[in-house]
Amino acid sequence: MLRSSGRRALLQESVIRIRRLQMRGAITGLLAAVAIGSLSAPVLQQEKGGDDRTGPYDVVQGWPQPLAFAKPGYIWGSTGGIFAESPNRIFIANRGELKLPDKLPPNFTGFWGSFGEQATTPTPEFRNCIVVVEGAGRAVESWTQWDYLFEDGRGPHSVLMSPYDPEHNVWIVDDIHHQIFKFTNDGKKMLMALGVRDEPGSDATHFKRPTDIAWLPDGTFFISDGYGNTRVAKFDGNGKFLLTWGTRGTGPSQFNTPHSITIDRNRRVYVSDRANNRIQVFDENGKWLDAFPNIQQPYNIRISDDQFLWVFSGPLDKMLKYDLDGHLLYAWGTHGTAPGFFWAVHEFGADADGNLYTAEVFGGRSQKFRPRAAADSTHIYRPQPLTPKSASMSTQTGIAPPVFDAPVAGAPGAEKFSGAWKLVKAEPEVTAGRGGGARGGGIGGPYAETIFNQAPPSVVLTHAAGKVSVQIGSASASYTLDNRTTWSTPGDVNALKTRAHWDGAKLHLHFKQGMNWGRDVLSLDGPTLTIVRDLESGGASTTRTMTYTRTS
């Protein structure tokens, strides 16, 4: 028994020794393989120091250069959008020019945000709204022939190209005028105009402050619509309306400011539901698939070429990277106006070299970031490449450019609106305060007490000799019924501007002051006056229906 036990113990010890030798050999082989691998492939060295304020990039100082086309004493305005066609051709959607104060503070960096004031606060002069810069940031083109499109608005909201378009046509979204334009790549021809200027709606031919566009390979495109509407609209490649989905609310397929839109390779449509702090996912026919909650105000969203979802969060001033199931993978960004910091990036893009471009709506600038050599490549945003450019652009057929302020016929019947009117009902009701949202409307400051009153308790209308006067409290506005714009103080960008026309049944009154816009549509039914009032200010949009009864 002892001999048998001793043999078993000796055998077990031998097995253990053999296993130890085998493990040592395996480890030695693994170390050798690692050593060989280290010789055949570079090792990513972690940088020393730094605080990651610009993530995996270095900011390109002095980019872009001062706008050479600007009027003396003026600079770049609020920057709505940016798109890099190539490393040497970058489109900037510039919301007009801003006049500099006579005395500049020592911390002025060349952009409005360095004053500590949002670049959307002052009223711009609408010049050089679509600008092309080369790689070093020097402006080489300005499509001034189209500046008139943005008059009395707030400038272009975003600039885009379809990645599937071999002609690299340029699309511009104009939210405040409720229109979208498509141009040839050189800007010489307008190819398409969607929406009706200053006439909001939610049908096949109208928008209410659209925001962004995304495409399928066959040219079908989707529009997020927008600040006023709460829907996505789908069109074929020729601009024919196909379908729409979305209502106001917080449930699935409901929106509160659908502000950006993008599509992955599986044709899933991602919509930035900005004021609901989430991103919703749909199939191409509007079927709800998923939602990614708790993303603070996603201003702009894009699917990268390697199929990740990149987001810029406005309140956080950060770039966020998610997988397509909504899991956060990486984030970077620092709030501020110093180079490399962010103040409300409204649109971002990248070129084929990996350079990142950002457009700041509050900072009033665009920036260029160059990938650092030692950066983790998975942290670099790379867009879907554009289809190689064709040479057939010269054969494209343009459309007749729109003509604004064109005179209209007289206004027989408009005199019936004359009289004093008292408010009976307003839907939705007006609550105390002037804040944003469905009730407040976003009109603040002195404007809320004047012609922009949310629901005027009384209105006096006077029609005579083709002119209409509107009296609200102590404020008044005068209109000429010929569809032409009238300035209360000619040449003053902050003056009240009015424009009106009579369509034979309804009276349309448009008014603008500073960065506030309004439109009233008046109709009569016996003794009852109905006014549908649209008020717009920045990101706020309100529609209210008011009924009045005649008092004299």
Side-chain angles (χ1 to χ4, degrees):
M1 293 292 294
L2 290 175
R3 288 179 181 176
S4 177
S5 299
R7 289 193 187 101
R8 283 198 298 270
L10 182 61
L11 179 61
Q12 289 174 353
E13 184 177 350
S14 299
V15 170
I16 291 172
R17 287 178 179 175
I18 291 171
R19 287 178 176 172
R20 284 175 178 170
L21 290 172
Q22 289 174 335
M23 290 179 65
R24 287 175 185 171
I27 293 172
T28 302
L30 177 61
L31 291 174
V34 170
I36 293 171
S38 67
L39 294 175
S40 60
V43 176
L44 188 66
Q45 297 292 329
Q46 183 175 355
E47 295 177 332
K48 292 183 178 180
D51 54 16
D52 206 34
R53 67 181 64 188
T54 57
Y57 300 90
D58 289 322
V59 66
V60 178
Q61 298 284 342
W63 197 101
Q65 299 175 25
L67 182 56
F69 300 125
K71 183 178 178 180
Y74 288 74
I75 60 171
W76 296 94
S78 171
T79 309
I82 195 163
F83 187 90
E85 181 183 5
S86 73
N88 206 40
R89 195 160 194 256
I90 301 97
F91 287 79
I92 297 177
N94 180 42
R95 293 179 170 182
E97 299 174 6
L98 298 177
K99 189 178 188 304
L100 288 170
D102 294 333
K103 186 176 181 180
L104 297 176
N107 64 337
F108 178 63
T109 62
F111 303 97
W112 196 268
S114 61
F115 294 137
E117 180 182 63
Q118 294 180 3
T120 53
T121 299
T123 304
E125 296 183 19
F126 291 102
R127 290 186 301 273
N128 299 304
C129 294
I130 305 172
V131 178
V132 180
V133 301
E134 43 87 79
R138 179 175 58 91
V140 293
E141 296 177 39
S142 181
W143 294 5
T144 53
Q145 68 272 28
W146 304 115
D147 283 346
Y148 79 99
L149 297 173
F150 309 106
E151 280 290 337
D152 300 329
R154 66 171 188 160
H157 185 268
S158 51
V159 54
L160 307 105
M161 289 184 190
S162 166
Y164 309 106
D165 180 7
E167 293 173 327
H168 290 198
N169 294 309
V170 180
W171 295 70
I172 300 289
V173 178
D174 179 1
D175 70 303
I176 209 69
H177 290 310
H178 319 295
Q179 289 193 291
I180 293 174
F181 303 106
K182 177 183 178 182
F183 301 98
T184 54
N185 185 265
D186 59 8
K188 293 181 179 179
K189 298 176 183 177
M190 180 182 289
L191 302 174
M192 187 183 298
L194 299 174
V196 180
R197 184 180 177 89
D198 295 335
E199 296 293 339
S202 58
D203 55 25
T205 58
H206 293 80
F207 305 108
K208 189 172 185 187
R209 301 191 64 187
T211 50
D212 199 11
I213 314 172
W215 288 266
L216 291 175
D218 66 356
T220 299
F221 60 95
F222 301 78
I223 294 172
S224 51
D225 179 33
Y227 289 108
N229 284 333
T230 51
R231 66 171 186 163
V232 173
K234 180 179 180 180
F235 297 80
D236 72 12
N238 296 316
K240 178 184 176 182
F241 176 81
L242 298 176
L243 59 88
T244 185
W245 73 84
T247 58
R248 185 174 299 279
T250 59
S253 300
Q254 294 185 317
F255 301 107
N256 188 354
T257 315
H259 193 262
S260 188
I261 191 166
T262 189
I263 301 175
D264 69 17
R265 285 181 186 155
N266 293 321
R267 304 169 75 95
R268 298 198 305 174
V269 180
Y270 299 73
V271 182
S272 159
D273 190 4
R274 192 175 83 172
N276 281 333
N277 298 310
R278 65 182 179 180
I279 293 169
Q280 296 194 68
V281 189
F282 305 87
D283 73 10
E284 62 185 283
N285 294 311
K287 179 183 177 182
W288 187 89
L289 300 175
D290 203 352
F292 308 156
N294 303 317
I295 302 175
Q296 291 298 303
Q297 292 194 31
Y299 277 18
N300 193 220
I301 62 175
R302 294 291 182 257
I303 297 290
S304 60
D305 188 44
D306 55 359
Q307 297 300 284
F308 290 94
L309 175 65
W310 286 83
V311 178
F312 190 87
S313 165
L316 300 181
D317 274 322
K318 286 187 179 295
M319 293 284 294
L320 310 172
K321 178 184 178 181
Y322 295 84
D323 66 23
L324 297 189
D325 292 319
H327 302 115
L328 179 63
L329 304 176
Y330 179 63
W332 68 275
T334 304
H335 170 76
T337 59
F341 290 7
F342 296 132
W343 194 7
V345 170
H346 198 250
E347 188 174 29
F348 63 86
D351 62 31
D353 291 343
N355 298 308
L356 177 73
Y357 302 87
T358 58
E360 295 181 24
V361 69
F362 291 161
R365 65 178 174 181
S366 50
Q367 295 195 83
K368 178 179 180 178
F369 296 82
R370 184 178 293 118
R372 290 202 306 269
D376 185 339
S377 62
T378 65
H379 295 165
I380 304 298
Y381 166 70
R382 296 184 184 275
Q384 180 178 346
L386 294 175
T387 298
K389 191 174 181 180
S390 72
S392 62
M393 185 177 61
S394 61
T395 65
Q396 291 179 286
T397 302
I399 64 173
V403 177
F404 304 136
D405 283 3
V408 297
E415 67 279 356
K416 297 177 182 178
F417 290 90
S418 294
W421 302 87
K422 180 181 179 180
L423 180 66
V424 176
K425 186 178 182 181
E427 294 182 336
E429 295 180 355
V430 180
T431 57
R434 303 173 183 163
R439 297 179 184 271
I443 304 294
Y447 300 110
E449 308 299 340
T450 62
I451 201 73
F452 291 89
N453 192 299
Q454 297 296 313
S458 62
V459 177
V460 178
L461 299 171
T462 305
H463 173 268
K467 294 184 178 181
V468 170
S469 175
V470 178
Q471 185 82 25
I472 297 176
S474 61
S476 63
S478 296
Y479 301 81
T480 57
L481 289 175
D482 58 3
N483 204 42
R484 294 183 183 275
T485 299
T486 300
W487 298 46
S488 60
T489 305
D492 180 1
V493 295
N494 289 305
L496 176 66
K497 294 182 180 181
T498 61
R499 182 171 59 84
H501 73 275
W502 166 251
D503 67 10
K506 296 179 180 180
L507 190 60
H508 298 249
L509 306 178
H510 301 268
F511 46 103
K512 175 187 185 289
Q513 190 164 23
M515 298 302 284
N516 299 282
W517 297 263
R519 183 196 73 149
D520 289 339
V521 179
L522 288 69
S523 59
L524 279 174
D525 183 8
T528 300
L529 169 68
T530 299
I531 301 178
V532 178
R533 167 160 282 203
D534 289 292
L535 296 177
E536 316 287 348
S537 183
S541 179
T542 298
T543 299
R544 182 169 281 109
T545 300
M546 302 168 289
T547 54
Y548 291 81
T549 185
R550 190 189 297 272
T551 59
S552 66

CSV table of all heavy atoms in Angstrom, one decimal, residues 29 70 189 254 266 343 400 443 445 447 504 517:
chain,number,residue,atom,x,y,z
A,29,GLY,N,6.8,31.8,-25.5
A,29,GLY,CA,6.4,32.0,-26.9
A,29,GLY,C,5.6,33.2,-27.1
A,29,GLY,O,5.7,34.0,-28.0
A,70,ALA,N,-15.5,91.4,-46.5
A,70,ALA,CA,-16.4,92.2,-45.6
A,70,ALA,C,-16.3,93.7,-45.8
A,70,ALA,O,-15.2,94.2,-46.2
A,70,ALA,CB,-16.1,91.8,-44.2
A,189,LYS,N,-26.1,78.8,-60.7
A,189,LYS,CA,-27.5,78.5,-61.0
A,189,LYS,C,-28.2,78.0,-59.7
A,189,LYS,O,-27.6,77.2,-58.9
A,189,LYS,CB,-27.6,77.4,-62.1
A,189,LYS,CG,-27.0,77.8,-63.4
A,189,LYS,CD,-27.0,76.7,-64.4
A,189,LYS,CE,-26.4,77.0,-65.7
A,189,LYS,NZ,-26.4,75.8,-66.6
A,254,GLN,N,-42.9,61.5,-31.7
A,254,GLN,CA,-43.2,62.9,-31.4
A,254,GLN,C,-41.9,63.7,-31.2
A,254,GLN,O,-40.9,63.1,-30.7
A,254,GLN,CB,-44.1,63.0,-30.1
A,254,GLN,CG,-45.5,62.3,-30.3
A,254,GLN,CD,-46.4,62.5,-29.1
A,254,GLN,OE1,-46.0,62.4,-28.0
A,254,GLN,NE2,-47.6,62.9,-29.4
A,266,ASN,N,-27.7,51.2,-43.2
A,266,ASN,CA,-28.9,50.3,-43.2
A,266,ASN,C,-30.1,51.1,-43.5
A,266,ASN,O,-31.2,50.5,-43.2
A,266,ASN,CB,-28.9,49.5,-41.9
A,266,ASN,CG,-27.8,48.5,-41.8
A,266,ASN,OD1,-27.4,47.9,-42.8
A,266,ASN,ND2,-27.2,48.4,-40.6
A,343,TRP,N,-18.5,77.4,-28.4
A,343,TRP,CA,-19.7,78.1,-27.9
A,343,TRP,C,-20.8,77.8,-28.9
A,343,TRP,O,-21.0,78.6,-29.8
A,343,TRP,CB,-19.4,79.6,-27.7
A,343,TRP,CG,-20.5,80.2,-26.9
A,343,TRP,CD1,-21.5,79.6,-26.2
A,343,TRP,CD2,-20.6,81.6,-26.6
A,343,TRP,NE1,-22.3,80.5,-25.6
A,343,TRP,CE2,-21.8,81.8,-25.8
A,343,TRP,CE3,-19.9,82.8,-27.0
A,343,TRP,CZ2,-22.2,83.0,-25.3
A,343,TRP,CZ3,-20.4,84.0,-26.5
A,343,TRP,CH2,-21.5,84.1,-25.7
A,400,ALA,N,-35.6,79.8,-62.7
A,400,ALA,CA,-35.6,81.3,-62.5
A,400,ALA,C,-35.5,81.6,-61.0
A,400,ALA,O,-36.3,81.1,-60.2
A,400,ALA,CB,-36.9,81.8,-63.1
A,443,ILE,N,-40.4,85.8,-27.6
A,443,ILE,CA,-40.2,87.2,-27.8
A,443,ILE,C,-40.0,87.9,-26.5
A,443,ILE,O,-40.9,87.8,-25.6
A,443,ILE,CB,-41.4,87.9,-28.5
A,443,ILE,CG1,-41.7,87.2,-29.8
A,443,ILE,CG2,-41.2,89.4,-28.8
A,443,ILE,CD1,-40.7,87.3,-30.9
A,445,GLY,N,-37.9,91.2,-24.0
A,445,GLY,CA,-37.5,92.6,-24.0
A,445,GLY,C,-38.7,93.5,-24.4
A,445,GLY,O,-39.8,93.2,-24.2
A,447,TYR,N,-39.8,94.2,-27.2
A,447,TYR,CA,-40.7,93.8,-28.3
A,447,TYR,C,-42.0,93.1,-27.8
A,447,TYR,O,-43.0,93.2,-28.5
A,447,TYR,CB,-39.9,92.8,-29.2
A,447,TYR,CG,-38.6,93.4,-29.8
A,447,TYR,CD1,-37.4,93.0,-29.3
A,447,TYR,CD2,-38.7,94.4,-30.7
A,447,TYR,CE1,-36.2,93.6,-29.9
A,447,TYR,CE2,-37.5,95.0,-31.3
A,447,TYR,CZ,-36.3,94.5,-30.8
A,447,TYR,OH,-35.2,95.1,-31.3
A,504,GLY,N,-57.3,88.4,-51.7
A,504,GLY,CA,-58.6,88.4,-52.1
A,504,GLY,C,-59.6,87.9,-51.1
A,504,GLY,O,-60.8,88.1,-51.1
A,517,TRP,N,-39.4,88.1,-35.6
A,517,TRP,CA,-40.2,88.1,-36.8
A,517,TRP,C,-41.6,87.7,-36.4
A,517,TRP,O,-41.9,87.0,-35.5
A,517,TRP,CB,-39.7,87.0,-37.8
A,517,TRP,CG,-38.3,87.2,-38.2
A,517,TRP,CD1,-37.9,87.8,-39.4
A,517,TRP,CD2,-37.1,86.8,-37.6
A,517,TRP,NE1,-36.5,87.8,-39.5
A,517,TRP,CE2,-36.0,87.2,-38.4
A,517,TRP,CE3,-36.8,86.2,-36.3
A,517,TRP,CZ2,-34.7,87.0,-38.0
A,517,TRP,CZ3,-35.5,86.0,-36.0
A,517,TRP,CH2,-34.4,86.4,-36.8
